[in-house]
Amino acid sequence: ASTRYELENKLYNTYKKVKLLAETDSLTGLSNRYSFDESLKQVISLNTRSHKKTALLLFDLDHFKIVNDSFGHDVGDLLLKKVVSRIKSCLRGNEKFARLGGDEFAIMLSNLSNSDQAGQVARRIVAVLQKPFEIASALLQTTVSIGIAIFPENGKTSEMLLKHADIAMYRAKNNGRNQICFFEEEMQNKFYLRIKTEAELRVALVEQQL
């Protein structure tokens, strides 16, 4: 009986290792595209019943090809790992963070009460990447273009959300990169208004202090 138990335990541990390898990106340790797609589908089906919002943030590194071409793929890989580490430092830890391939990443935020929360997370990511990375005696500055799509407003399936987040990301690139762009124009306008109001409040506080 003991041997059978040990064998079953061994098989289960092997299964867990294989499952982890199948769902993990080997370079960054993040979830891979397959795992992310499955999680997104699950969360959408749960949130359909609970009427909660889910935000999908899609982003890639601006001009990453230039880093690979100028410094080589080893430096490029190291930059990706450092970017991931820095982004993780500004997340709460309950988000699903994945590398979809190359320099493209996705973050899923579930159980949101409003879309503002997605904008706040995106702004933290942009802010945390402002400081250059020191790699191989070189200072590398990298920025991201972030596209945001919200369930259920921007799509009721994982495919539709990914498609719309992708469109928003390319809009962010066309706007000059290092930008955050919501798929829906109304959400984008609210986002800009919020940033403008915060900036005006900061100026008012400084002027009062002076």
Side-chain angles (χ1 to χ4, degrees), residues 52-63:
K52 287 278 191 182
K53 292 180 190 295
T54 297
L56 174 61
L57 277 63
L58 205 62
F59 58 95
D60 66 14
L61 275 58
D62 299 323
H63 306 300

Side-chain angles (χ1 to χ4, degrees), residues 21 24-32 61 64 68 73-85 88 99 101-105:
L21 281 171
T24 306
D25 170 58
S26 57
L27 178 71
T28 60
L30 296 176
S31 298
N32 61 17
L61 275 58
F64 182 66
N68 270 342
H73 287 273
D74 287 351
V75 169
D77 284 354
L78 200 49
L79 179 63
L80 288 175
K81 285 163 87 167
K82 283 179 177 279
V83 164
V84 165
S85 175
K88 272 183 173 177
R99 181 186 180 208
D103 63 315
E104 189 177 25
F105 297 89

Side-chain angles (χ1 to χ4, degrees), residues 8 35 50 56 87 97 114 123-124 154 204:
E8 283 174 354
S35 172
S50 68
L56 174 61
I87 290 173
F97 187 9
N114 60 65
R123 283 172 68 190
R124 287 207 303 270
N154 305 146

Side-chain angles (χ1 to χ4, degrees), residues 87-139:
I87 290 173
K88 272 183 173 177
S89 74
C90 76
L91 296 176
R92 300 272 188 262
N94 56 346
E95 308 87 348
K96 181 80 173 176
F97 187 9
R99 181 186 180 208
L100 302 185
D103 63 315
E104 189 177 25
F105 297 89
I107 291 175
M108 176 175 61
L109 308 166
S110 50
N111 295 319
L112 301 183
S113 46
N114 60 65
S115 55
D116 280 355
Q117 291 162 290
Q120 286 165 19
V121 172
R123 283 172 68 190
R124 287 207 303 270
I125 292 168
V126 167
V128 86
L129 295 177
Q130 282 179 350
K131 192 180 161 195
F133 292 88
E134 196 173 340
I135 300 172
S137 306
L139 279 178

